Amino acid sequence: MKGMGVRLLVGVEHQSHVHYAMPVRVMDYDHASYAGQIKTIGIRHKEEKDLEDEGERLSGFSRTDRLTPVLTLVLYCGSEPWDGARSLHEILDFGNVSEELREYVVDYKIHVLDVCHTSDSRLREFPPDIRTMFLFLKYKDDPEKLRECMQEEEIREDTYDTIAEAVGERRMKKYHPKGEGGKIQMCRAIDLLIADGEKRGEKRGEQRGMKRGMERGFKRGEKHGLKHGIEQGIERGTVHGIVAMVSVLRDYNVEDADIIQKIQEKFGISPEEARKYVQSF
């Protein structure tokens, strides 16, 4: 990160579950970064042979050398609030250590952003692309709220791809609806995802329904005859297909009126029959 003459290395640790030893884990990341910088500086000095002082040669680091600051952010997106430690002292056992000595034990604080339990107003204080990513992570399981938050959001394509990786949603990579400025229109992308989900859910529901119907049909066929068994299997398969379809569409918060219409069109039943299925689910 650069700006106003400041250079900063920023690392992000994405967590979906609380890591109760996170202060030490962050220490490891930061140490590795600083150690890597020191190694690189030492190699340069060795090649240039520009260290005359014995102490500088032993350390491979001159009095005027400086390291780039490192900042590691813990991006937590779990459903439960973060209840882990935010500093090294919180996980140290000071039971037999006096207060006088305790102050000499170096603490190490970490920065945790609990996305799902941070107010929208606070998340909106971040730059546009970061704000959109945080809001998407927060409401990824609430399609209606997510669509509401994304109404006016447009982001760079690389940020969009980062969001897709973070939420594990590969389908997002199929849709890159861009506006006039070449940025991804998030609201349009979400509409495409929901439509795709409905289509996949409908197909999956039909497949499961037919499979169960055939299984039950064959069982009845063994007992009552092949013809009767197949008829029963198809009938039950239709019922299960309808039930599965209602379940999937409700998961995507589709209105009952739209579900009834889709059932009529797909299974060729009357509005009254479709309404009974939806009301009894």
Side-chain angles (χ1 to χ4, degrees):
M1 179 183 293
K2 297 181 179 180
M4 299 180 65
V6 177
R7 187 166 181 268
L8 180 69
L9 292 177
V10 179
V12 177
E13 172 67 9
H14 181 230
Q15 291 289 130
S16 56
H17 299 282
V18 177
H19 192 300
Y20 291 101
M22 186 55 74
V24 174
R25 188 170 181 177
V26 171
M27 285 174 62
D28 285 340
Y29 294 149
D30 293 350
H31 166 265
S33 180
Y34 287 126
Q37 292 184 55
I38 290 174
K39 183 177 181 180
T40 299
I41 291 172
I43 292 173
R44 187 187 73 236
H45 284 309
K46 187 174 182 179
E47 292 175 346
E48 298 177 358
K49 299 180 180 179
D50 58 352
L51 296 179
E52 298 179 358
D53 181 273
E54 184 177 358
E56 291 182 336
R57 288 197 299 272
L58 287 173
S59 60
F61 198 83
S62 74
R63 292 182 177 86
T64 58
D65 283 330
R66 295 293 181 268
L67 302 177
T68 300
V70 176
L71 172 61
T72 299
L73 300 175
V74 179
L75 187 62
Y76 171 64
C77 301
S79 58
E80 298 297 325
W82 177 274
D83 62 351
R86 293 174 184 263
S87 71
L88 178 61
H89 274 200
E90 293 181 47
I91 59 174
L92 297 183
D93 182 1
F94 283 110
N96 296 317
V97 180
S98 66
E99 287 294 333
E100 291 77 8
L101 289 177
R102 178 173 176 171
E103 65 178 271
Y104 289 101
V105 179
V106 177
D107 198 1
Y108 201 89
K109 295 182 179 180
I110 62 173
H111 306 282
V112 179
L113 178 60
D114 188 345
V115 176
C116 296
H117 302 92
T118 298
S119 67
D120 289 2
S121 59
R122 175 69 183 93
L123 296 178
R124 291 184 185 281
E125 293 176 5
F126 289 89
D129 280 46
I130 298 177
R131 170 188 69 211
T132 301
M133 180 173 69
F134 288 167
L135 289 171
F136 196 102
L137 292 173
K138 182 176 182 179
Y139 294 113
K140 60 183 176 63
D141 296 323
D142 186 345
E144 287 190 5
K145 184 64 178 179
L146 180 61
R147 193 177 187 283
E148 178 186 328
C149 290
M150 298 291 114
Q151 284 292 333
E152 306 297 329
E153 300 294 345
E154 292 188 340
I155 60 174
R156 300 192 310 271
E157 189 168 353
D158 58 345
T159 303
Y160 181 83
D161 291 338
T162 298
I163 293 174
E165 290 293 336
V167 300
E169 183 53 88
R170 296 180 180 177
R171 290 183 304 145
M172 288 180 66
K173 296 185 177 181
K174 292 171 53 180
Y175 308 112
H176 286 72
K178 296 181 179 180
E180 295 181 0
K183 291 189 174 183
I184 304 295
Q185 295 178 318
M186 291 302 293
C187 189
R188 176 58 179 155
I190 292 170
D191 285 342
L192 292 171
L193 282 172
I194 291 175
D196 181 71
E198 291 179 355
K199 183 177 180 180
R200 287 169 175 264
E202 180 179 327
K203 184 177 180 179
R204 188 181 299 118
E206 290 178 0
Q207 291 174 342
R208 289 179 178 175
M210 289 303 298
K211 181 179 180 180
R212 292 179 182 177
M214 290 301 294
E215 289 174 352
R216 295 196 177 192
F218 282 125
K219 287 182 179 180
R220 287 180 175 272
E222 292 173 357
K223 187 174 182 180
H224 302 290
L226 180 61
K227 181 179 179 180
H228 182 66
I230 292 176
E231 292 175 350
Q232 289 296 314
I234 294 174
E235 180 180 350
R236 288 178 175 271
T238 300
V239 172
H240 282 280
I242 292 174
V243 171
M245 186 174 177
V246 172
S247 176
V248 170
L249 293 177
R250 281 218 169 131
D251 285 343
Y252 282 92
N253 298 316
V254 178
E255 297 293 335
D256 282 357
D258 293 331
I259 295 178
I260 291 172
Q261 183 176 353
K262 288 179 180 293
I263 291 175
Q264 287 179 246
E265 296 172 352
K266 196 65 185 178
F267 295 93
I269 60 177
S270 68
E272 292 74 19
E273 290 178 298
R275 190 174 293 104
K276 287 180 180 179
Y277 281 117
V278 173
Q279 291 175 345
S280 64
F281 181 71

